[in-house]
Amino acid sequence: MIISFYTSKESSVDKIGGKALRLMSMYRSGLAVPPGLALSTDFFKPWTDEVKASSEWAAVLAASAGELGDTTKKLFSLCDTLKFDEVQKKEFKKAVSEFQKKFSCELFAVRSSSPEEDLDSASFAGGYETFLGVKFEELEPAVRRAFASCFHERVFIYKKEHGIRVDNPRIAVLIQQQINADCAGVAFSLNPINNCFDEAVINANYGLGESVVSGNAEPDMLVVEKVKKQILQKQIGKKGLRVTLGHDGGIIEKTNSPSNEASITDKQALDIAALTCTVEAYYKTPVDIEWAIAQDKLYLLQVRPITTYHPLPDEMITKPGAPKRLFANSTLIEQGVQEPLSVLGTDFLEYVLKQMSSLTGGDITGVDGISFTAGGQYYMNISNAVKVGGKKLALAPGSSDDQTVLDIIESINLNEYTPAKLPAGLKGARLNMLLSMLPIMKGIMKAAKNPEDFMKKYYEELPSQIEGFTKGEETCKTLREHAVRLTGGLDFFFMKYGTPTWFSAKTAKAKIQKLFKNEKSHIADHLTNLGMALPGNKTTEMGAMLYKIAASEEISRYNDAESFLQALSRNEVSSSFAAHWNEFIDEFGARCPREIDPATPRPKENPAAIYEQAKTMAAAIKEAPGSIGFFEQTIQKREAAYKALHDLASKKGAKVLKEFERNYKILLTFGGFRETGKHYVIKAVDLFRQKALEYGHRFVAQGRLDVPVQIFDLAIEDIDKAASDPSLDLRALACQRSEFIHRLEKSHYTVRIIDSRGKIFFPPIKQAEDGAFVGIPISPGMIRGRAKVLQHANEKKLMPGEILVARATDPGWTPLFINAKGIVLEVGGALQHGAVVAREYGIPCVSGISNAVDMIKDGQLIEVDGSNGIIRILEEQA
């Protein structure tokens, strides 16, 4: 029932919780952990049985979200009446008496240690209660209150948010010797701001660590480079409050005098960083710890796994101190997809990359190449690309116009990431690329010389290329053969025609801008509008076709999708509309968000969704009767821009006018084809999806998978092997393959550029303009919303979508975080409760905004830039 740290008796997370188990393990390994006792879940079984048999417990389980607060308070009152039974009294008295005798302990720290707390999947940071400076005679009430914290409203909310059962409460309680700390705080074994694995971040204050953990004092912050053992940053906090032990137990809050000195020395900071390294190495995962220093001795008080960092696949990580590599996350930069792709989607994308790579004269895929897939993402190896071809090759064409990415690259010292030698697989790559570019350059010259003739040949060859997507399907015996077949013809869209059209359009646009460089600031809108609604743009065509469907009387005739689809199936709609609808399904029915992943369901699989989309668009059209369509307006904007620039060019002389007309013709002919290659990649993805689902249905029928979509948790080789090996355990394999992707899904970072030590590079911080305030970036992301200023948690309701503005937050604020769109804090370090929860929930958060609750008014429209630590007031009046 009670397990002491100083014996050899083993236990488990299920019995004493992650917190107690970790500290017990650390104590037994020789680290300076205060000795302790773990009261197991078995010890509390009489209490949990009594609670679960009560009407108060039944009321909590039946409560709605709005009723949860009142019902948990009543349950709390019930817990306050619980008493130790005779067996509990006997075991408790025996264990504590032996503990006191062995360690001469006068004061204790009492903490929860739930089996559901401090796990790799959920930290419950600040969810349960801690009691410090507890005297022997007060231990039973403190244990009872720690037990009762299992039934806090915030704990129920957290469990529901993380998919944890709420009907099976389990808790253990940890009793430790109280350390009378001279200074204390928290530390992360990686930098939670930039995710760097080589940087430890420390928050510190005088006295006990409670002032730091609760966020009630602005602590010192130190960033330590763990490999070089250097302090990179030291930010002295105001430390306006310290918490100390009372002479007769309990804790006392004292006001600190202003000081420009840090609460810990540089040596102590290095020792704390070294301690995080030791604990991280022991558990083989990034951790955050609570620490204390008393009489120059460093103690470890608590260990939690960091649940919200951005992990890297093993193959992308370099060893500490080894030369680093720099990567661009093209899944986000080019595809606009932040979440990881499925296992099968990642695998199929690798086939696409290999096909594209072969067109450059050799295979340059793989983490030691230039492009590769890993852990649900598609990356560019910037380090190798720079070595092969310089900065111009460092990003894929789809990234080259992303100014944010370019700004990030410019802010990085690329010399630090450029390898001394090329990997063996890339030797000769530069020459191969140049040779492979010869036919492409020939195509570029043909395109520039005669744009119409070039596109005429493209359209002549297009039907046979489209036929190639289905041709030969019957000869494919494996899913791998299907992947090779579907990606085999993509060179037509990317190299033979795609690159010449893209390059020609880009060059023409640059030349047009150069013609007007002296007037550029005055005609910026015209130069932008010149590239709008260009012919051949598949994305624009898709929107225009859907707009035409929405504007049809056939859509407005029906009130719901079911009646519409029934009419469509019975041929009760006009033949012209039916033809248009079918054309849209055939051409664009596979286009959707996250379309690059074959695991994503396609709109054509759910035509009711397309109807609803068109119906919504029809309502907007109805509100503006008689107006021209959106796409016609866009074309008019382009034509107006052309006329304005044409008039300006004519004033510059015949030579300039001729140059403008020639380049506009190239831009008009080729500019819309940038999306064409991707359009046909998505067609290939869709066909691959359908083939994969055939396997999924087959394995479900054989009892080897639960649902067909589980097929997307497997790799191509797994599926082909399973087809010939009935003994292969597909369920277990699917869990194993998708484990990393599920970990990555918990990351809320926006990752454009990252290095091989996990460091994420953000856009350079720009000087705040009028109406903006610079604070500490806590949780990344940028959002806009209405502010709700709260002095305390229960002052007023925080509605969904509002931005919480407060001086500081403690665990009692947790229920409010569910509705918060963003968070602005005056006080609190990067590792305090509010910061930890903001990152875990993916809520953009900025701290250190002095007088925020006075400067920002209720209802005011504000912008929270959690990546750069900037708050912007968008409306002066609420």
Side-chain angles (χ1 to χ4, degrees), residues 334-335 348-349 352-353 355-356 359 397-398 455 458-459 462 465-466 469 486-503 535-541 587-588 590-591 595-596 670-686:
E334 294 194 348
Q335 308 299 335
F348 182 69
L349 187 56
V352 176
L353 294 184
Q355 176 64 22
M356 303 306 301
L359 303 173
M455 292 312 300
Y458 164 77
Y459 282 115
L462 181 61
Q465 293 297 321
I466 294 175
F469 279 120
L486 288 168
T487 56
L490 293 178
D491 61 319
F492 172 84
F493 299 104
F494 284 97
M495 294 304 176
K496 186 173 183 179
Y497 286 100
T499 300
T501 56
W502 170 80
F503 184 86
N537 187 308
K538 285 292 181 182
T539 305
T540 304
E541 285 179 8
E587 187 64 15
F588 300 109
R591 304 301 302 265
E595 60 189 3
I596 195 68
F670 297 138
F673 284 85
R674 176 173 173 168
E675 296 293 311
T676 300
K678 182 183 177 182
H679 179 74
Y680 288 102
V681 167
I682 301 308
K683 281 188 172 291
V685 168
D686 175 48

Side-chain angles (χ1 to χ4, degrees), residues 568-860:
L568 191 67
S569 65
R570 293 194 294 259
N571 295 320
E572 293 174 0
V573 299
S574 69
S575 58
S576 60
F577 175 85
H580 197 67
W581 174 271
N582 292 331
E583 183 184 359
F584 179 84
I585 297 291
D586 290 342
E587 187 64 15
F588 300 109
R591 304 301 302 265
C592 56
R594 288 180 55 83
E595 60 189 3
I596 195 68
D597 189 353
T600 304
R602 306 289 136 170
K604 67 180 184 179
E605 298 167 18
N606 180 25
I610 301 176
Y611 166 82
E612 295 296 345
Q613 203 173 9
K615 192 75 172 178
T616 301
M617 189 179 287
I621 296 171
K622 191 175 181 180
E623 289 179 4
S627 66
I628 61 172
F630 171 81
F631 295 98
E632 286 79 1
Q633 291 181 40
T634 313
I635 292 170
Q636 286 189 3
K637 284 183 181 179
R638 169 168 53 80
E639 292 174 344
Y642 170 74
K643 185 178 185 305
L645 293 173
H646 188 278
D647 291 344
L648 185 57
S650 64
K651 294 176 183 177
K652 292 177 176 289
K655 184 177 179 182
V656 172
L657 179 61
K658 184 177 179 181
E659 181 75 1
F660 171 71
E661 289 177 335
R662 189 176 72 84
N663 283 294
Y664 177 69
K665 182 180 179 182
I666 294 173
L667 179 63
L668 187 66
T669 306
F670 297 138
F673 284 85
R674 176 173 173 168
E675 296 293 311
T676 300
K678 182 183 177 182
H679 179 74
Y680 288 102
V681 167
I682 301 308
K683 281 188 172 291
V685 168
D686 175 48
L687 290 167
F688 183 77
R689 168 180 168 80
Q690 306 310 320
K691 186 55 62 176
L693 284 172
E694 289 180 18
Y695 282 90
H697 285 286
R698 184 191 311 171
F699 293 143
V700 168
Q702 294 171 357
R704 302 172 70 185
L705 290 178
D706 298 316
V707 288
V709 293
Q710 272 183 293
I711 199 73
F712 299 111
D713 289 335
L714 297 166
I716 291 173
E717 65 173 311
D718 301 330
I719 296 167
D720 285 342
K721 185 177 179 182
S724 58
D725 181 4
S727 67
L728 191 63
D729 188 342
L730 292 181
R731 289 185 180 88
L733 196 54
C735 289
Q736 176 189 332
R737 293 286 195 191
S738 59
E739 188 272 334
F740 178 85
I741 287 174
H742 292 322
R743 284 170 54 206
L744 191 61
E745 287 172 338
K746 296 173 186 173
S747 168
H748 299 297
Y749 289 95
T750 300
V751 181
R752 297 180 182 88
I753 308 295
I754 189 169
D755 74 12
S756 57
R757 295 300 300 158
K759 183 176 181 180
I760 298 168
F761 293 86
F762 299 105
I765 296 177
K766 298 176 181 177
Q767 192 66 33
E769 65 277 8
D770 291 342
F773 305 95
V774 179
I776 302 168
I778 294 293
S779 183
M782 181 182 289
I783 51 87
R784 293 182 176 187
R786 299 288 173 181
K788 179 62 69 72
V789 183
L790 273 70
Q791 300 284 353
H792 53 83
N794 298 319
E795 179 184 357
K796 49 199 167 187
K797 287 185 178 181
L798 182 75
M799 304 305 293
E802 290 182 325
I803 294 173
L804 170 63
V805 181
R807 295 195 186 278
T809 61
D810 65 14
W813 294 67
T814 303
L816 297 175
F817 281 55
I818 305 303
N819 285 344
K821 189 178 183 181
I823 300 171
V824 180
L825 301 174
E826 286 189 15
V827 179
L831 311 183
Q832 61 103 344
H833 167 75
V836 171
V837 176
R839 283 192 295 271
E840 189 159 328
Y841 284 1
I843 305 171
C845 176
V846 175
S847 181
I849 303 295
S850 299
N851 302 315
V853 297
D854 298 319
M855 294 187 305
I856 301 173
K857 309 300 180 186
D858 262 5
Q860 214 166 23

